[in-house]
Amino acid sequence: MPAVDKLLLEEALQDSPQTRSLLSVFEEDAGTLTEYTNQLLQAMQRVYGAQNEMCLATQQLSKQLLAYEKQNFALGKGDEEVISTLHYFSKVVDELNILHSELAKQLADTMVLPIIQFREKDLTEVSTLKDLFGLASNEHDLSMAKYSRLPKRRENEKLKTEVVKEVANARRKQHLSSLQYYCALNALQYRKRIAMMEPMLGYTQGQINFFKKGAEMFSKRMDSFLSPVSNMVQSIQGELDAEADAMRVSQQDLLSVNESVYTPDSDVTSPTINRNLIQKAGYLNLRNKTGLVTTTWDRLYFFTQGGNLMCQPRGAVAGGLIQDLDNCSVMAVDCEDRRYCFQITTPTGKSGITLQAESKKEYEEWICAINNISRQIYLTDNPEAVAIKLNQTALQAVTPITSFGKKHESLRPSQNVKNMEMESDKIIPKELSTKPNCTELIAPGTPIQFDMVLPATEFLDQNRGGRRTNPFGESEDNKNDEEDSLLQQMFVVRFLGSMAVQSDDTNEVIYEAMRQVLAARAIHNIFRTTESHLMVTTKSLRLIDPQTQVTRTTFELASVTQFAAHQDNKRLIGFVVHVTESLGEESMSANIFESNTEGEKICYAISLGKEIIEAQKDPEALAQLMMSMPLTNDGKFKLLNDQSEEDGAIPEERGEESEA
């Protein structure tokens, strides 16, 4: 038999989103099994009813055969042989009726009863344990919220003791209910196999016993088939018994842990702190503004991935980016009289997010880990050894806000080298080289953004209150720019992903970015994309919301240095954009899209826009270009085989979200 999927009992206490996500798969399997069991039971009850009807029918047939003798036929002479023959047939039918009655009883005991017991016992037990687990989980969340609100300045030891005890009891109750629930779901994977085969085994054996008295040959053929099925059921039952014993022992071992596992902040005086972490994961409270003076705290699961801080709500399949930790600073803060709060500040000095840990150990380890990541230690060959040298005390792990400028300069020594290389390139041209390596184009481990506005960022913006500013700095001047532009071309595109690149010398960087974005989408099962209208003008590339006509983002056409369509999939289009950051540094990013038309048309529009920009510097060249190209009625450039002619009007009822 193939291996059975199981929930790990050791992960029940941590209750991570990954475990919850796997648990939802088991719950979905249990729900499908319940629905199928009900349908199977109806079919079996119909078979049992037909067999009972056969018993009544054969009994009635036997009586009717005997009643032939009592009929007063006008021409009844010579019926003695018929009457004796019918008497014999009546005895045969009576014997068959006995066999049918035995078969009906056997079907009731071995086919219908096991499936009813499986539904009423096993499936009902799983449903009940699911409700108990949900109640225990909600109770734990409420107790943790109450514990998180404990005051820091005026600490009441009695209240703190009561709350800590309440949290420990709730966590123990949740742990016990989750262990029982996980064990029931694991056992269900075995029982459902038995429950599906055992009734059919009873049905087949009953039929064989019925036919054995009339057809020995038939029974011999079925015995060779039923023997391995019976052995299989016995083997699965043996595996179930062994697994039940192992889960019982494991459950006892997990429940016999130290009380400190359930008690938050159990060792507050001298906790064992690892200051050399380069990655960290766990639950934190996230502070969100809901108004001018009001805030809320949400308990979410956070983890670090490379140089990013990710947030994953409970039940979500994957996490979203909430903060870039490179060159950021982290410090302890006093926030709303709460304990163990710290704040992450961006390299520009802008205040980022405020988080709260549940214990002193978690609080200091998170600060050390974020501080190590902000120094880009994870990029070194031996990050743990570097972290040991840099971290001395918990206070030294907190970077002051006033030092972010010097720190930023010290952590980027390669920038001056890059500028020197650029200056030297102007004097001595580089020799032509072969096709560059993919690592030279895109750094390994570069994060990929799959949406124009990240869900975590959008969530924070919606809860800050007041007037929401445009994150891309769009103004009313864009409308005037469109009116003055000699080129306006609209394309329907879907954003697939964006990532930082290290070179824009060749189109190979776009092809490599396409490969990595599509591979990452396939690996993480990301299929949904956001549809936008790409407006190509002589000044910029604008992504417009098709429903609200609001500009999502704008790329200056002069900053687009490379653009190309995929060599095989002509609907894929990508371009590289130069972006100047707040500190004057330049970065490059490749943006990948899927269009409804051929990507070559978009590339042609971008190329035409760049030609117009160059031609505008020379009036004669501009006039010559306008004479060689078709123009619209208002004097603007018109592309051949316009998309509007090829695709028709864009239907308004089409939603923003579409499938890639």
Side-chain angles (χ1 to χ4, degrees):
M1 289 294 295
V4 177
D5 295 327
K6 294 186 294 184
L7 288 166
L8 298 179
L9 301 181
E10 294 80 5
E11 298 179 0
L13 179 59
Q14 185 181 6
D15 194 25
S16 64
Q18 290 83 357
T19 304
R20 284 295 183 104
S21 179
L22 181 60
L23 177 62
S24 65
V25 177
F26 277 76
E27 291 175 346
E28 180 182 359
D29 183 82
T32 304
L33 178 62
T34 302
E35 182 179 357
Y36 175 79
T37 302
N38 293 331
Q39 297 174 357
L40 181 63
L41 178 60
Q42 292 178 0
M44 291 181 175
Q45 288 176 338
R46 186 176 180 181
V47 173
Y48 173 69
Q51 186 61 40
N52 280 333
E53 183 66 23
M54 177 64 75
C55 295
L56 296 176
T58 53
Q59 185 179 4
Q60 183 67 24
L61 176 61
S62 177
K63 291 179 180 180
Q64 288 299 119
L65 292 176
L66 293 176
Y68 182 84
E69 183 182 7
K70 300 177 182 180
Q71 302 302 316
N72 189 14
F73 293 105
L75 301 174
K77 293 182 180 180
D79 287 345
E80 291 77 13
E81 293 181 1
V82 175
I83 292 174
S84 61
T85 303
L86 292 180
H87 280 193
Y88 179 80
F89 278 123
S90 177
K91 293 180 181 179
V92 172
V93 171
D94 286 336
E95 293 175 358
L96 290 175
N97 183 44
I98 295 174
L99 294 179
H100 280 295
S101 299
E102 293 176 355
L103 177 59
K105 184 177 182 301
Q106 190 170 1
L107 291 179
D109 295 337
T110 62
M111 183 181 70
V112 180
L113 182 60
I115 200 70
I116 292 178
Q117 291 177 342
F118 172 72
R119 184 185 68 172
E120 300 298 329
K121 180 182 177 182
D122 298 321
L123 296 180
T124 304
E125 179 187 9
V126 170
S127 178
T128 303
L129 291 175
K130 178 182 179 180
D131 296 336
L132 294 176
F133 173 71
L135 293 175
S137 181
N138 293 335
E139 183 179 350
H140 175 255
D141 292 341
L142 293 176
S143 62
M144 282 302 305
K146 186 176 180 181
Y147 169 79
S148 300
R149 291 194 298 269
L150 285 176
K152 175 183 178 182
R153 298 175 181 174
R154 292 178 294 179
E155 188 168 340
N156 189 336
E157 289 297 329
K158 181 178 180 181
L159 177 61
K160 178 182 176 182
T161 303
E162 293 176 356
V163 172
V164 168
K165 185 177 181 181
E166 180 181 351
V167 171
N169 293 334
R171 189 168 290 178
R172 184 185 301 105
K173 182 178 179 181
Q174 182 193 16
H175 191 200
L176 177 60
S177 62
S178 62
L179 288 175
Q180 294 175 347
Y181 187 31
Y182 288 5
C183 291
L185 289 175
N186 290 339
L188 187 63
Q189 300 302 309
Y190 293 93
R191 291 194 177 101
K192 75 176 182 181
R193 300 187 180 187
I194 297 177
M196 297 300 106
M197 290 187 291
E198 187 178 10
M200 293 310 302
L201 183 62
Y203 169 80
T204 310
Q205 287 178 342
Q207 294 290 347
I208 288 178
N209 292 333
F210 174 80
F211 289 110
K212 260 187 177 181
K213 297 180 180 180
E216 278 300 323
M217 296 300 296
F218 180 76
S219 65
K220 290 181 179 179
R221 288 196 302 268
M222 294 303 294
D223 283 341
S224 60
F225 169 74
L226 292 178
S227 179
V229 176
S230 179
N231 295 335
M232 184 187 301
V233 172
Q234 294 177 1
S235 175
I236 296 176
Q237 185 64 44
E239 292 180 9
L240 173 59
D241 295 339
E243 183 65 23
D245 294 338
M247 288 190 296
R248 191 179 302 109
V249 173
S250 179
Q251 184 177 354
Q252 293 176 356
D253 294 339
L254 293 173
L255 291 175
S256 62
V257 296
N258 196 328
E259 188 69 18
S260 60
V261 175
Y262 302 102
T263 306
D265 208 12
S266 58
D267 191 8
V268 67
T269 56
S270 58
T272 304
I273 301 171
N274 186 359
R275 306 185 186 279
N276 307 318
L277 296 174
I278 55 175
Q279 57 183 5
K280 181 71 175 171
Y283 280 98
L284 295 171
N285 292 334
L286 173 65
R287 181 175 180 264
N288 296 309
K289 282 190 176 182
T290 57
L292 294 177
V293 294
T294 58
T295 58
T296 60
W297 292 81
D298 298 324
R299 189 168 183 262
L300 302 172
Y301 188 83
F302 289 84
F303 62 96
T304 60
Q305 185 175 9
N308 301 319
L309 178 63
M310 313 292 287
C311 175
Q312 184 174 1
R314 182 178 294 177
V317 178
L321 175 64
I322 194 171
Q323 181 73 49
D324 184 2
L325 299 179
D326 284 345
N327 298 324
C328 71
S329 59
V330 57
M331 63 173 53
V333 293
D334 291 331
C335 187
E336 300 181 10
D337 198 21
R338 285 182 174 239
R339 302 182 304 165
Y340 309 135
C341 294
F342 57 94
Q343 185 180 76
I344 301 175
T345 306
T346 62
T348 60
K350 182 180 178 181
S351 298
I353 59 175
T354 301
L355 302 169
Q356 180 191 18
E358 72 173 40
S359 65
K360 184 177 181 181
K361 179 179 183 296
E362 289 290 309
Y363 159 76
E364 295 198 10
E365 285 188 351
W366 269 107
I367 289 179
C368 294
I370 294 175
N371 190 63
N372 292 337
I373 295 173
S374 69
R375 299 175 180 179
Q376 299 181 347
I377 295 177
Y378 65 94
L379 298 176
T380 60
D381 295 334
N382 191 353
E384 294 184 358
V386 177
I388 293 174
K389 294 180 180 179
L390 293 179
N391 290 289
Q392 298 177 355
T393 62
L395 294 178
Q396 290 176 341
V398 181
T399 304
I401 290 181
T402 56
S403 64
F404 77 91
K406 297 180 180 179
K407 175 185 174 184
H408 186 75
E409 294 176 359
S410 62
L411 289 176
R412 293 184 178 269
S414 61
Q415 186 66 28
N416 294 331
V417 177
K418 181 179 179 181
N419 293 335
M420 293 175 62
E421 291 179 355
M422 294 177 62
E423 293 176 358
S424 62
D425 291 343
K426 298 177 181 179
I427 302 174
I428 303 176
K430 295 184 178 179
E431 297 181 357
L432 294 177
S433 59
T434 59
K435 182 179 178 180
N437 196 325
C438 60
T439 57
E440 299 176 358
L441 303 175
I442 302 175
T446 301
I448 301 176
Q449 179 178 333
F450 295 110
D451 200 351
M452 298 304 297
V453 180
L454 293 179
T457 306
E458 191 174 29
F459 173 78
L460 293 175
D461 290 339
Q462 291 175 354
N463 290 276
R464 286 194 177 108
R467 182 176 180 273
R468 181 178 176 184
T469 59
N470 193 323
F472 303 106
E474 183 193 357
S475 64
E476 297 291 335
D477 298 336
N478 288 334
K479 298 181 179 179
N480 298 330
D481 293 343
E482 288 185 10
E483 296 176 357
D484 298 338
S485 177
L486 295 176
L487 172 67
Q488 289 186 24
Q489 190 65 28
M490 183 81 72
F491 301 94
V492 179
V493 297
R494 285 169 293 278
F495 181 74
L496 298 181
S498 175
M499 61 190 308
V501 298
Q502 299 183 129
S503 173
D504 62 347
D505 296 335
T506 64
N507 290 342
E508 295 296 332
V509 65
I510 298 178
Y511 301 146
E512 178 64 21
M514 290 178 178
R515 186 190 68 79
Q516 293 193 21
V517 168
L518 295 178
R521 280 182 167 270
I523 292 173
H524 299 289
N525 294 326
I526 302 174
F527 302 108
R528 300 189 69 85
T529 56
T530 303
E531 185 175 282
S532 303
H533 290 172
L534 177 63
M535 173 68 77
V536 181
T537 68
T538 56
K539 295 185 178 181
S540 63
L541 304 180
R542 295 177 55 208
L543 287 175
I544 304 174
D545 190 309
Q547 302 295 328
T548 62
Q549 298 303 313
V550 175
T551 300
R552 288 177 172 154
T553 185
T554 302
F555 304 101
E556 294 295 332
L557 191 60
S559 64
V560 178
T561 57
Q562 283 288 350
F563 51 91
H566 196 274
Q567 297 168 326
D568 299 325
N569 188 352
K570 300 301 183 181
R571 296 174 61 186
L572 291 181
I573 173 70
F575 53 84
V576 178
V577 180
H578 271 254
V579 179
T580 303
E581 299 180 354
S582 57
L583 296 180
E585 299 178 353
E586 288 192 357
S587 61
M588 293 177 290
S589 62
N591 299 272
I592 309 302
F593 296 86
E594 179 189 34
S595 64
N596 284 357
T597 58
E598 293 184 2
E600 293 292 343
K601 295 184 178 181
I602 303 179
C603 292
Y604 176 71
I606 298 175
S607 177
L608 179 59
K610 287 184 170 291
E611 289 183 13
I612 295 174
I613 293 177
E614 294 297 327
Q616 284 176 338
K617 301 177 182 179
D618 186 359
E620 295 181 0
L622 179 60
Q624 189 175 12
L625 179 62
M626 295 180 68
M627 291 177 60
S628 62
M629 294 292 296
L631 303 177
T632 60
N633 295 332
D634 54 356
K636 297 180 179 180
F637 284 89
K638 179 181 180 181
L639 299 183
L640 297 178
N641 297 327
D642 199 341
Q643 182 187 3
S644 59
E645 299 175 1
E646 181 176 312
D647 298 336
I650 301 172
E652 294 182 358
E653 62 270 12
R654 182 171 181 176
E656 177 183 345
E657 299 293 333
S658 62
E659 296 294 337

